[in-house]
Amino acid sequence: MMEQKNNRLAVYLPIIIALVLVAGIFIGQKLSPGTRQHDKINDVINYVKQDYVDTVGGEKLEEAAIEGMLQSLDPHSQYISAADFKEANDPLLGNFEGIGVQFRMEKDTIYVVNTVPGGPSEKLGILGGDRIIKIDGKKVAGIKISDKEVMKRLKGKRNTKVKVSILRRNVAGLIDFTITRDVIPTWSIDVAYMPKPTVGYIKLSKFSATTYSEFEKALNQLKSQGMKKLILDLRGNSGGYLDAAIKLADEFLPDKKLIVYTEGQRHPRENAYATEKGMFENGALAILIDEGSASASEILAGAIQDNDRGTIIGRRSFGKGLVQEQLDLSDGSAVRLTIARYHTPTGRCIQKPYKDGLEQYYNESYQRYLDGEMTNADSVKLDKSLKYKTPKGKTVYGGGGIMPDVYVSLEKNDRNSYYSALMNKGLIYQFAFDYTDRNRNELTKYKSFEVFDRNFRISPAIYSQFESFAVKKGVKKTSVAKNDTDEKIKNLLKSLISRNLFDDKGFYPIYLKTDPTFLKALEVLK
């Protein structure tokens, strides 16, 4: 029987092979138009490489094709080259590898504002106020080097070395340091402190991998100091990790409250709910937002607003409600593709329109200023057709950002042309820098921010120096400035000098004393 079966197979095998070949040819003919269609991009790239008037790299053409394809979809789908990938992700990872200095470009020179405590630069004795003149023997002062290029030269893999040559005030010649790079933390909380006996303030700059642990620590510290009410400042916070925003919202909301949900054509609805035992579910809460608050910031603010949990104060947020998923490519590059939309608990999609192209999309915040929205709540363009109700009956709107419960306008600088001119030319910042630099030895007597805040004042003599400096720079008082304007300038000068000495922890507690949105939050929390 087995032999008969083998004989039959031998007879039919050529016929089977022929049928398979015919089927393959038929299927190939049917699919070939589609195949050719999918090869259109490669056809064009090969044509350009072969016949273009100049030499063009294939990789460059491929990247340009991918970028153009993604830009035609929406403003947030993007291609990230292998060279840019690490730089794009470092701020959200909570650390990077480098020398551990905070620097600023002043007069074409790299000025060390502060060293990171415990970092390699501090251990070697590099000081705030030092100027970096050379990096690995190459001059970097006076050549208009960009911040990005400075970072590129100073950052590097852990345990690698970089040589910097420092110019220090009152020290002759350059001082050479060979710094061994290490892991440097990047914090997402700029400052956490108690501006009033029962009121805590936390300034959050981004939603990174370390945000939740930082927030948990800061909140517990403030609670141990007697905090009963909290101001969470999300102004200028452009977002980051969705998971971090959900975790923070969870700490304010009771069990099973909806925080956010995502939904897309190929991605069914996914809900994120609060869990038990949030750290701050009952205390009074105010969240500060503005036109720079986007994405994860809007998710957090939307969750609080839609659940009637706290008061949103400031100006309408940016309006970024698209969800990206990352595809890592083999060469180290990546594609971030929009796959869904965020929705707040009431059902709002906070994504603003983008049908008029990228330029209009990113200039929309400036258009708000031209339309009067930044200075008048009545000028805010809300889509009244996208109306939603919170559980307590409050009306909220979709179609473009989070509209605050309490609106605070931008100050109209035309009310005082002197202050406006000073700010436009950056003269308050320049004078504060120069003053700190000239008087750093004397200022070191203030051993902590608290000592500085209690004892340092912008005296009439210092303010007179500032006014003379402004005149030399082309800004002169044409009329007697209002007293409140003079006080505001003095307060900003003091806060900037404090920042040069103590970083952001020395800046915000002073600066916020004249900040209208912060002061409104204190008023609301009463």
Side-chain angles (χ1 to χ4, degrees), residues 264-395:
Q265 184 175 351
R266 306 288 183 186
H267 292 263
R269 174 167 171 163
E270 291 186 18
N271 299 321
Y273 292 99
T275 59
E276 296 180 351
K277 298 180 181 178
M279 290 189 293
F280 198 75
E281 291 185 2
N282 298 311
L285 174 65
I287 293 186
L288 313 186
I289 62 170
D290 65 7
E291 54 282 352
S293 307
S295 191
S297 291
E298 295 173 295
I299 289 166
L300 177 52
I304 298 303
Q305 187 177 55
D306 283 15
N307 283 294
D308 297 304
R309 170 61 186 90
T311 306
I312 312 301
I313 302 172
R315 292 183 298 279
R316 183 161 63 106
S317 62
F318 180 84
K320 196 261 184 189
L322 299 177
V323 186
Q324 282 73 51
E325 186 175 73
Q326 182 167 296
L327 172 66
D328 296 325
L329 303 177
S330 58
D331 65 346
S333 61
V335 168
R336 289 178 181 168
L337 183 68
T338 296
I339 60 165
R341 287 180 172 83
Y342 296 119
H343 295 265
T344 66
T346 59
R348 289 185 288 168
C349 179
I350 52 178
Q351 177 63 45
K352 64 184 179 182
Y354 51 85
K355 63 181 186 302
D356 294 328
L358 290 179
E359 185 175 355
Q360 185 276 339
Y361 180 78
Y362 284 108
N363 287 336
E364 188 265 345
S365 292
Y366 180 64
Q367 188 62 46
R368 295 184 196 182
Y369 179 81
L370 297 178
D371 292 340
E373 176 179 333
M374 301 295 199
T375 53
N376 190 339
D378 293 335
S379 299
V380 179
K381 293 181 178 179
L382 296 173
D383 189 341
K384 296 298 177 68
S385 67
L386 300 174
K387 187 184 295 187
Y388 301 81
K389 291 286 186 181
T390 69
K392 291 186 178 181
K394 180 171 60 183
T395 301

Side-chain angles (χ1 to χ4, degrees), residues 17 109 118 181-182 228 263 308 344 353 438:
I17 293 173
T109 302
R181 296 181 177 99
D182 204 343
K228 304 296 183 185
E263 197 169 27
D308 297 304
T344 66
R438 291 194 310 270

Side-chain angles (χ1 to χ4, degrees), residues 140-206:
V140 292
I143 62 171
K144 294 185 177 180
I145 190 171
S146 68
D147 285 357
K148 185 176 180 180
E149 182 62 27
V150 174
M151 292 289 286
K152 184 178 177 181
R153 296 193 189 191
L154 294 180
K155 288 169 69 175
K157 291 185 177 181
R158 186 180 187 184
N159 294 325
T160 61
K161 298 182 185 297
V162 59
K163 182 179 179 181
V164 298
S165 299
I166 296 289
L167 178 65
R168 182 170 294 167
R169 182 174 281 274
N170 299 324
V171 175
L174 298 180
I175 310 170
D176 293 328
F177 293 90
T178 300
I179 309 170
T180 302
R181 296 181 177 99
D182 204 343
V183 176
I184 310 299
T186 57
W187 308 117
S188 55
I189 289 181
D190 294 334
V191 67
Y193 78 107
M194 298 281 289
K196 298 288 182 181
T198 61
V199 179
Y201 172 88
I202 296 177
K203 170 66 174 172
L204 187 64
S205 61
K206 57 181 173 285

Side-chain angles (χ1 to χ4, degrees), residues 46-60:
N46 290 331
Y47 177 50
V48 172
K49 286 196 293 186
Q50 180 176 314
D51 287 349
Y52 186 62
V53 63
D54 295 318
T55 302
V56 181
E59 185 177 346
K60 180 180 178 181

Side-chain angles (χ1 to χ4, degrees), residues 110-137:
I110 305 166
Y111 170 81
V112 177
V113 177
N114 268 307
T115 55
V116 175
S121 292
E122 185 198 48
K123 290 176 180 177
L124 285 177
I126 293 175
L127 304 173
D130 286 348
R131 275 92 161 152
I132 300 177
I133 305 300
K134 295 180 181 179
I135 300 176
D136 285 331

